[in-house]
Amino acid sequence: MNRSRLAPIYRGGGARYLIDTCQPQIEAVRQGKISLHALTKGHYPGLAMEPSVLPGLNSIGFWDAKCAQDWGLEEHRNEGIEITFLETGAMAFTVDQRRFDLHAGSLTVTRPWQLHKLGAPHIGPGRLHWLILDVGVRRPNQEWQWPRWIMLQRRDREELTRLLRHNENPVWTAPVRVARVFRDLAQCILQWNQPHSASRMAIEINQLLLELLGFLSAQPMEDNPALVSRRRAVELFLNDLARNPASAGDRWTLKGMASHCGMGITAFSQYCRELVNSGPVDFLNQCRLGHAARQLREQPHRTVTEIAFANGFNSSQYFATAFRRRFHATPHDFRQQTGPVRPQAGGRGDRPAG
């Protein structure tokens, strides 16, 4: 399978909603604010690994922050499932707009479609371990494909996959055996240039997954198959349009939105109607107008035309017409008003933006 050709579930034009660039982390290392030891493929920071070595392992490493930092990671998604372990310290962690306060011993699991960040807004002190493993999915309804060097028996792989797919709880308290494996993985990273290091790394990662399977199997979790449905993929996409101006501002077509969620136009439109009581294009327009309304109030230095184009409108005249229909005021008059902006809703009656 060619994993490099898998696109993230949402294209969002703004960097904060794309795959993690790790730029704040890279800059912190450069300035000596943290010490970092990592192995990487692609854009992640660390010592480069050959693509043929442990295929699917995109990044593995740990950092030490001896004191509270003046930087944090932006919201992002990863090219794979990410497992982290906070060995010492404390820091804030946000997943899909839910905040968690991590402490020493916290274990986190995020899926490729889950938007998350560390810091609120800054990173706290601590030693953080992580692993990003590509299982060939970007949407919750896709079938997981574990790398061939994962040695769990088929039944165990299927059970671990089910536990991770049917439950999206992101934070746990790590058992002692999981913590120990992460420490052993740190030693593998430090000794990467020694003989047989890749084999040792493969064994430790398999051990980690086995320990994770045993731990999750013992937890009282609700099994929710709806989390891996096609409807769930559409729900996540619509939520992203509503929350992320960069995603809503992309040059979407109806066919493009449906294809991005992995289905045809008819099924996509039906799920959209069920979820927001609106057609896809109408909902997209309402999201764009809502984002534009907030930007008019919060970004007075930008012109109306700039805001219109940034939110996916090809014509400032059409934007003004659609805006007045929605908010009963011109963009200029609305900017002068006070009061909260109504949240996006799946309204009806607007033509496609453009």
Side-chain angles (χ1 to χ4, degrees), residues 82-99:
E82 181 176 28
I83 305 170
T84 72
F85 169 62
L86 185 62
E87 182 175 356
T88 59
M91 62 187 68
F93 180 59
T94 303
V95 183
D96 294 333
Q97 298 188 321
R98 291 182 295 162
R99 172 171 167 163

Side-chain angles (χ1 to χ4, degrees), residues 22-55:
C22 303
Q23 285 303 316
Q25 184 180 351
I26 294 171
E27 186 63 19
V29 173
R30 189 186 70 81
Q31 296 180 13
K33 296 177 180 178
I34 64 172
S35 60
L36 179 143
H37 304 275
L39 304 173
T40 181
K41 294 170 186 169
H43 60 272
Y44 294 103
L47 179 66
M49 300 173 64
E50 291 293 330
S52 59
V53 175
L54 303 180

Side-chain angles (χ1 to χ4, degrees), residues 285-314:
N285 278 342
Q286 296 307 315
C287 291
R288 288 173 169 176
L289 289 169
H291 295 315
R294 274 187 294 278
Q295 292 166 18
L296 285 168
R297 297 265 181 89
E298 298 170 1
Q299 302 174 20
H301 59 285
R302 300 178 71 189
T303 68
V304 171
T305 298
E306 288 174 340
I307 290 175
F309 288 168
N311 285 282
F313 293 90
N314 294 328

Side-chain angles (χ1 to χ4, degrees), residues 38-278:
L39 304 173
T40 181
K41 294 170 186 169
H43 60 272
Y44 294 103
L47 179 66
M49 300 173 64
E50 291 293 330
S52 59
V53 175
L54 303 180
L57 180 60
N58 287 342
S59 178
I60 185 169
F62 65 95
W63 81 52
D64 268 309
K66 298 300 184 184
C67 59
Q69 301 291 298
D70 60 357
W71 60 276
L73 294 179
E74 298 287 351
E75 288 185 306
H76 63 275
R77 296 180 174 95
N78 293 110
E79 296 169 302
I81 185 168
E82 181 176 28
I83 305 170
T84 72
F85 169 62
L86 185 62
E87 182 175 356
T88 59
M91 62 187 68
F93 180 59
T94 303
V95 183
D96 294 333
Q97 298 188 321
R98 291 182 295 162
R99 172 171 167 163
F100 301 85
D101 292 316
L102 304 185
H103 54 78
S106 288
L107 174 75
T108 77
V109 179
T110 50
R111 292 79 180 163
W113 54 87
Q114 290 186 290
L115 193 64
H116 61 283
K117 63 174 289 187
L118 278 168
H122 299 149
I123 297 291
R127 171 180 273 209
L128 183 80
H129 303 255
W130 75 87
L131 177 154
I132 301 174
L133 186 64
D134 193 342
V135 292
V137 300
R138 297 295 180 266
R139 306 182 187 96
N141 58 310
Q142 293 175 314
E143 292 299 321
W144 288 30
Q145 300 183 40
W146 294 90
R148 292 183 179 180
W149 51 270
I150 298 300
M151 298 179 291
L152 274 64
Q153 293 294 298
R154 178 178 177 179
R155 182 178 298 179
D156 291 338
R157 288 198 310 271
E158 291 175 349
E159 183 180 359
L160 180 59
T161 301
R162 180 185 61 80
L163 289 168
L164 293 175
R165 292 182 74 199
H166 290 194
N167 184 285
E168 291 188 352
N169 180 45
V171 179
W172 311 87
T173 297
V176 173
R177 295 173 67 168
V178 167
R180 183 168 62 244
V181 175
F182 269 108
R183 296 187 186 100
D184 291 341
L185 282 169
Q187 290 303 309
C188 287
I189 294 166
L190 294 173
Q191 300 170 9
W192 183 246
N193 291 323
Q194 299 299 315
H196 320 304
S197 54
S199 294
R200 291 191 179 93
M201 178 73 72
I203 291 171
E204 293 296 345
I205 292 175
N206 276 276
Q207 185 66 36
L208 175 63
L209 296 177
L210 184 60
E211 298 296 348
L212 187 62
L213 171 61
F215 170 68
L216 294 178
S217 297
Q219 304 306 306
M221 296 191 299
E222 178 184 356
D223 193 305
N224 187 0
L227 293 175
V228 301
S229 66
R230 282 156 45 104
R231 186 178 188 273
R232 172 66 169 161
V234 176
E235 181 182 23
L236 290 171
F237 176 72
L238 297 179
N239 287 343
D240 204 54
L241 293 180
R243 297 170 181 170
N244 179 7
S247 284
D250 266 356
R251 303 301 179 185
W252 292 110
T253 64
L254 177 58
K255 181 179 179 181
M257 288 189 287
S259 175
H260 204 66
C261 290
M263 62 192 71
I265 290 175
T266 301
F268 175 71
S269 299
Q270 180 178 344
Y271 285 125
C272 188
R273 182 73 62 179
E274 290 176 2
L275 288 163
V276 295
N277 193 34
S278 179

